[in-house]
Amino acid sequence: MAEEKDNVILSIRGMCKSFGRNRVLDHINMDVKRGSIMGLMGENGAGKSTMMKCLFGTYQKDEGRIILDGKEINFSGPKEALENGIAMVHQELNQCLERSVVDNLFLGRYPKTSLGVIDETRMKKEASDLFRQLNMTVNLTQPMKYMSVSQRQMVEIAKAISYHSKIIVLDEPTSSLTVPEVEKLFKMMRALKEQGISIIYISHKMDEVFEICDEVSVLRDGSLVMTKPVSETNMNELIAAMVGRSLDNRFPPVDNKPGKTILKVQHLSTKFAPYLKDVTFDVRQGEIFGLYGLVGAGRSELLETIFGMRTRASGRVYYDDKLSNFNSSKDAMDHGFAMITEERKANGLFLKGDLTFNTTIANMNHYKSGVALSSPKMIKATSNEISVMHTKTMGPDDMIANLSGGNQQKVIFGKWMERDPKVFLMDEPTRGIDVGAKYEIYELIIKMAKQGKTIIVVSSEMPEILGITNRIGVMSNGHLAGIVNTKETDQEELLRLSAKYL
C-alpha cells in the first residue's frame, strides 16, 4: 500500500468549485501515477478545464486538497505552478507572435549575465540543446507569426519540458497536427514517461487515448464518473460514461441526395504566399464536399480565397452560373456564403462580448425595429440558437469567454445559422468538441445538406472526413491532388494523394 502511495505523483481529494449557483466541480478524487500518461475525457463543460485551472492556481478551489509529490499545494497562479514542476500546454495557444521562438521560450525568466544584461548567447544554446534533444528542427530567430499552428504547438510543448516539469498537462495537443507530427508527439511523450515525467492528456480523440494513455478518467457534469486502465475499457464504455448514454455509431447516416452542380471553382490561384496553384473543382447543391490534406497543404487558404479573404492571382468562382469572385468576406456574406474559421478565438469570436452579441453580430439588419436594434429580438434569436445547439450556458447574457471551447464553437455555428446561408464553408468545425457534441454537429451538417445547402468542410481527422462527406478533394502543397468518392476510398488513398506534390 505504501509502495502504491509512493507511486502517486499527484493526488486530488474532494475538489469542489462553483460559479455562483452553478457547481462546476463536485468532490473530485483523482490520482496520477508517477511516470504515467493519464487520459482525461468528458463533454465540453464537464469540468476538465476548471479542474486544471484549480490545479494551476488560475482559479482557487472552494473545497478539497491537492497533494503534489507528498506535499499539499495551493498555487496562487500559473507562474508558481510552473516553478514547482507543473506545466500546461493549452489548446488555444497564448504566445507573443511578434517575438522569436527563443523569446517565447524564455518569457518571464530571461537569464542574465553578471552585468545584469539578458544573456542571449545562453538562451540560444539552451534552446538549441532542447530542440536537439526533442529531435525538432526550428529556426530560433523566426517570429512565431510565420509558423504554422502545429509548429507553434510543438514549441509550446518544448517550453513546458524546459521547466523540468514533474507533470505536463496537454490540452487537445493534436487538434492541429498532421499524422506524422502526432507520431512524433507520441514518441516524445513516451520518452518523457520513461524519464519519470507524468502527463495528463486531455483529448476528445478516443483512438489516441487508447494508443498513448495508461489510464483514463472521465468527467461528466462536474463529477468524476470513471477511472480505469485503458486496457480494461473500450470505446463504447467511454462514450457511455461521457454522455450518459450509448452511441451505437460515431457518425449518423449520410443520407443526403446531392443535386445539380451549383458551385464551380475554376483554375484558382492566389497572389500571395502560401500559394494555391490552379485549383479546379465543382460542388453540387446539397452536397457535403470534404477537403483533406496535411497541415500547410492549402485547405484553409482555399476556403479563405473563395470567401474573399485572400487575393486571387487568377481563376474564377461561379455560384448558380453567376460570377462569385468576392473581394471581401462581407461581399461573400451578402451573397449567401458563410465560413467557420479554424482558430475561433483569433477570428471567430468577440471574447469581450456576451452570447447575444456573438450570435447576432453577423446579421444585425435582421434585428432592427425601425432604425434601432431590438434587444428582445436579439435575445430571442440567441435563446433559440442555445436551444437548437444544446449550448451549455447560463443564458444569452453569459460572457462568451466563460464557455468551454466546444460550446464557443456551437455559438459560432448558431451565428451563421441565423443568416440561413446557401454555401457553408467549414474549417475544422469540430476541433476541440466532445464526442456527443460532434455527433450533434454531424447531424446538423447532414440536415443542412438535405435542405439543399452546399457544404465544404475541412478536417484533419481521417475518420471524420470519411464519415460525413459525399466526396473528398485532397490538397497537396497548394495543388488539388485528386477528388474521390467517399464510399469508394480509404485512408491509404487519401494519404497517398496528400503526398503527391511534396
Side-chain angles (χ1 to χ4, degrees):
M1 190 77 180
E3 186 180 335
E4 187 176 320
K5 191 175 180 182
D6 290 341
N7 194 36
V8 173
I9 184 74
L10 177 70
S11 184
I12 295 172
R13 287 288 170 270
M15 182 188 282
C16 295
K17 179 66 181 175
S18 298
F19 296 103
R21 293 170 296 171
N22 185 25
R23 175 158 278 195
V24 183
L25 297 175
D26 190 6
H27 295 93
I28 301 292
N29 294 311
M30 190 178 86
D31 292 330
V32 178
K33 293 175 182 172
R34 198 182 306 273
S36 72
I37 302 175
M38 163 70 84
L40 183 60
M41 303 191 76
E43 289 192 280
N44 296 111
K48 305 185 298 296
S49 296
T50 302
M51 183 164 73
M52 292 300 106
K53 285 178 180 177
C54 288
L55 172 63
F56 275 79
T58 307
Y59 294 155
Q60 293 302 310
K61 61 188 183 304
D62 298 333
E63 297 177 39
R65 301 167 68 219
I66 303 172
I67 300 159
L68 176 65
D69 212 3
K71 296 177 183 176
E72 186 167 347
I73 54 152
N74 194 26
F75 298 134
S76 59
K79 186 174 186 292
E80 190 180 349
L82 278 167
E83 290 167 350
N84 284 273
I86 302 183
M88 183 168 182
V89 178
H90 297 270
Q91 181 189 354
E92 308 290 348
L93 300 174
N94 298 310
Q95 295 166 320
C96 296
L97 299 184
E98 299 295 329
R99 306 299 297 175
S100 69
V101 171
V102 172
D103 279 334
N104 275 273
L105 276 178
F106 287 94
L107 277 174
R109 49 170 182 154
Y110 287 120
K112 294 182 179 178
T113 65
S114 56
L115 299 173
V117 179
I118 292 173
D119 193 342
E120 294 192 14
T121 304
R122 179 182 160 191
M123 285 165 57
K124 287 178 182 175
K125 183 183 183 305
E126 289 185 11
S128 295
D129 291 344
L130 174 64
F131 287 118
R132 193 179 303 113
Q133 172 196 335
L134 298 173
N135 195 27
M136 290 169 61
T137 304
V138 176
N139 181 350
L140 298 177
T141 58
Q142 182 182 29
M144 297 289 285
K145 67 181 179 181
Y146 296 122
M147 302 174 78
S148 67
V149 175
S150 60
Q151 289 172 320
R152 286 166 47 204
Q153 201 158 30
M154 297 301 267
V155 169
E156 200 69 6
I157 291 167
K159 181 179 178 179
I161 293 165
S162 74
Y163 276 90
H164 306 293
S165 305
K166 300 172 187 174
I167 297 172
I168 298 175
V169 181
L170 300 178
D171 187 1
E172 294 283 350
T174 65
S175 59
S176 296
L177 301 187
T178 63
V179 173
E181 285 169 332
V182 171
E183 290 172 359
K184 185 183 284 189
L185 172 64
F186 284 0
K187 185 178 179 182
M188 190 188 298
M189 289 170 65
R190 292 185 182 104
L192 293 171
K193 175 181 162 182
E194 287 175 11
Q195 295 170 26
I197 296 170
S198 303
I199 296 169
I200 299 175
Y201 186 78
I202 302 173
S203 181
H204 294 306
K205 299 180 181 179
M206 285 178 285
D207 298 338
E208 293 179 359
V209 168
F210 282 104
E211 181 179 347
I212 195 66
C213 296
D214 302 300
E215 288 189 300
V216 58
S217 289
V218 178
L219 283 171
R220 185 172 78 236
D221 296 329
S223 298
L224 192 70
V225 295
M226 183 181 120
T227 297
K228 275 190 176 183
V230 165
S231 58
E232 295 178 14
T233 187
N234 57 53
M235 198 172 289
N236 288 337
E237 185 179 24
L238 269 185
I239 292 171
M242 286 170 64
V243 303
R245 65 188 190 279
S246 176
L247 280 180
D248 297 327
N249 298 297
R250 289 177 67 180
F251 304 100
V254 182
D255 54 358
N256 59 310
K257 299 282 191 292
K260 66 174 184 178
T261 295
I262 193 83
L263 183 71
K264 299 174 183 176
V265 177
Q266 298 179 350
H267 307 292
L268 200 63
S269 299
T270 50
K271 190 171 183 179
F272 304 108
Y275 297 106
L276 295 178
K277 300 155 191 171
D278 197 31
V279 175
T280 297
F281 65 97
D282 296 337
V283 187
R284 290 170 286 172
Q285 188 169 15
E287 181 176 23
I288 305 168
F289 186 86
L291 280 176
Y292 183 73
L294 305 178
V295 172
R299 303 167 304 169
S300 299
E301 289 76 15
L302 179 53
L303 294 194
E304 289 168 1
T305 306
I306 294 170
F307 200 61
M309 295 168 65
R310 287 185 176 270
T311 307
R312 292 179 315 280
S314 60
R316 294 184 175 189
V317 178
Y318 292 92
Y319 178 77
D320 202 13
D321 294 327
K322 293 174 185 171
L323 185 63
S324 301
N325 278 1
F326 304 128
N327 293 312
S328 68
S329 53
K330 184 182 184 303
D331 195 10
M333 289 164 61
D334 289 344
H335 286 82
F337 282 61
M339 180 169 169
I340 292 176
T341 56
E342 181 181 8
E343 292 193 73
R344 55 177 166 261
K345 286 194 175 179
N347 44 32
L349 295 167
F350 291 88
L351 293 173
K352 293 186 178 180
D354 59 15
L355 264 73
T356 298
F357 183 83
N358 277 276
T359 301
T360 58
I361 185 64
N363 201 24
M364 284 295 190
N365 288 334
H366 191 67
Y367 310 111
K368 284 184 176 179
S369 287
V371 294
L373 286 170
S374 168
S375 184
K377 282 185 179 180
M378 294 165 72
I379 291 171
K380 183 180 179 182
T382 305
S383 298
N384 179 60
E385 291 302 337
I386 289 171
S387 174
V388 169
M389 300 303 300
H390 305 292
T391 310
K392 289 184 180 177
T393 176
M394 301 294 285
D397 60 348
D398 200 0
M399 297 301 289
I400 194 76
N402 294 340
L403 270 61
S404 66
N407 283 300
Q408 288 177 346
Q409 190 78 334
K410 289 181 178 182
V411 173
I412 293 173
F413 255 94
K415 169 182 73 177
W416 290 117
M417 295 298 290
E418 279 294 299
R419 288 189 65 89
D420 192 25
K422 296 181 290 188
V423 179
F424 210 148
L425 312 176
M426 305 179 182
D427 196 353
E428 304 283 5
T430 64
R431 181 184 173 201
I433 293 182
D434 62 76
V435 63
K438 275 186 178 181
Y439 196 90
E440 292 172 0
I441 295 292
Y442 299 150
E443 287 182 317
L444 179 64
I445 290 171
I446 294 165
K447 180 181 176 183
M448 289 168 64
K450 289 165 81 169
Q451 292 170 350
K453 300 185 189 303
T454 301
I455 296 164
I456 304 178
V457 57
V458 168
S459 178
S460 297
E461 292 188 39
M462 190 85 77
E464 179 172 272
I465 206 80
L466 290 167
I468 62 161
T469 59
N470 304 117
R471 290 186 300 151
I472 303 167
V474 183
M475 296 294 294
S476 177
N477 196 23
H479 299 267
L480 185 64
I483 298 174
V484 294
N485 289 320
T486 303
K487 290 180 179 177
E488 298 167 5
T489 191
D490 54 24
Q491 296 192 14
E492 288 75 15
E493 184 176 21
L494 294 186
L495 286 171
R496 189 170 66 251
L497 284 169
S498 67
K500 184 174 179 179
Y501 291 100
L502 298 181

